[in-house]
Amino acid sequence: MGAPDGTGKRIVITGAASGIAQATLAELRRRGARVVGLDLNAEPDGELIACDVRDQVSVDRAVTEAIARLGGGLDVLINCAGLATPQSAGLAPDERALAVIDVNMLGPWRVTSAALGALRESRGRVVNVASGMSFVALPFAPAYAMSKHGVRAYSQALRLEHGDAITVTTVYPGNIQTPIHQDSIEFGIKNSSPIEPIEAAVDALVRAALDERARLDITTTRTGWIANSLSRYAPARFVDWVILRQIRKGMRRRTFDDPSHPVAEFAARITGGDRAR
């Protein structure tokens, strides 16, 4: 990793009980930063601070406690908490879909608002974790894609409003195998995107937090940068064709126990055959 030393940096990161955030917290501490983690699943007597990013009261309390632990100041906020619960775009959004949007898109807004005074005072930095799906959507992930498009928009709005005192960086991880994907696996979705190592995301977040000069956007791998660029600039019909072509290839090799399952019905429609066992 090529990021500079973090000695003396005061950092708060959300979603710190698992996945990318947990690994990033450990690496930042290894580099000398003082880091406080927030998470809904914090242990009562553990080092993480309990925080529900869907609840502004919980957020305000947790951020206040985190800043106090850091000695009364804050240099970097990393918004990394997230959900990836699958849904069908053809069905009405349920509570789980609303939770994805609430946690992924509104969560960073809530946490940043609570930390903004301290960040402006230190002329600090906000790092928002988006996704390759900030530029493209996939079947059965409408809420996730909408939320990550929203994170990218929030970063820009925040930068325009408060760029006189803080910097804002958006990081775009790809397909990284962490617990966030468990619901999708159980739903029957297999992500065919190239798998990226978690170390790539950690490296990107460490650079986003500690590099002397803040960048607006950081993609975790070169492959991800190419995919994001194609998603942003290629004609939309071509992007759709590429996505469906890749999905068809995977679906032709699959069978389903329940032909009425939304994924089974989708597979039958795009492959032109019955995918039931």
Side-chain angles (χ1 to χ4, degrees):
M1 294 185 185
D5 183 77
T7 301
K9 289 291 185 181
R10 301 162 298 179
I11 301 174
V12 168
I13 183 168
T14 67
S18 65
I20 296 170
Q22 183 182 52
T24 300
L25 183 152
E27 178 60 22
L28 287 166
R29 284 181 175 169
R30 192 185 72 80
R31 290 175 176 271
R34 299 168 60 195
V35 191
V36 175
L38 312 183
D39 200 281
L40 179 65
N41 298 315
E43 296 290 338
D45 298 321
E47 65 172 3
L48 301 182
I49 297 175
C51 179
D52 181 357
V53 299
R54 299 181 66 185
D55 179 1
Q56 190 67 55
V57 173
S58 175
V59 167
D60 291 344
R61 178 197 56 75
V63 170
T64 298
E65 181 178 345
I67 292 174
R69 286 192 190 182
L70 293 169
L74 180 64
D75 298 304
V76 182
L77 169 65
I78 303 175
N79 287 305
C80 196
L83 295 174
T85 313
Q87 312 86 25
S88 169
L91 300 176
D94 58 16
E95 288 300 316
R96 300 207 310 167
L98 298 178
V100 171
I101 292 173
D102 206 358
V103 170
N104 294 3
M105 185 174 73
L106 299 181
W109 190 349
R110 292 190 185 98
V111 179
T112 303
S113 73
L116 188 60
L119 289 166
R120 286 187 61 90
E121 183 177 347
S122 68
R123 302 193 71 82
R125 184 174 302 179
V126 175
V127 178
N128 289 324
V129 179
S131 165
M133 289 179 67
S134 297
F135 308 105
V136 69
L138 294 175
F140 302 103
Y144 185 80
M146 291 165 67
S147 71
K148 293 304 184 178
H149 278 69
V151 168
R152 182 166 164 253
Y154 176 65
S155 290
Q156 182 178 16
L158 180 66
R159 184 166 53 246
L160 291 171
E161 287 189 36
H162 292 279
D164 62 308
I166 67 171
T167 59
V168 183
T169 297
T170 309
V171 177
Y172 302 92
N175 180 17
I176 297 170
Q177 299 302 293
T178 64
I180 196 173
H181 297 294
Q182 189 58 41
D183 284 343
S184 294
I185 294 169
E186 293 174 359
F187 190 71
I189 298 171
K190 297 181 179 179
N191 192 333
S192 60
S193 303
I195 294 175
E196 296 182 359
I198 191 171
E199 292 81 7
V202 172
D203 179 51
L205 285 172
V206 169
R207 287 187 285 117
L210 301 182
D211 274 355
E212 184 175 349
R213 181 177 180 181
R215 293 169 56 184
L216 299 186
D217 300 290
I218 298 178
T219 303
T220 50
T221 64
R222 180 167 178 78
T223 300
W225 179 85
I226 293 171
N228 291 350
S229 298
L230 288 172
S231 298
R232 293 178 71 178
Y233 302 118
R237 290 186 184 277
F238 174 74
V239 174
D240 288 355
W241 177 81
V242 170
I243 292 170
L244 286 173
R245 181 176 181 272
Q246 188 69 16
I247 292 173
R248 283 191 187 98
K249 287 172 62 178
M251 288 295 186
R252 287 194 178 100
R253 297 190 292 268
R254 295 187 60 189
T255 57
F256 297 88
D257 293 323
D258 180 6
S260 67
H261 189 282
V263 178
E265 291 182 341
F266 173 68
R269 283 190 278 109
I270 67 169
T271 62
D274 183 359
R275 309 310 301 165
R277 292 188 191 277

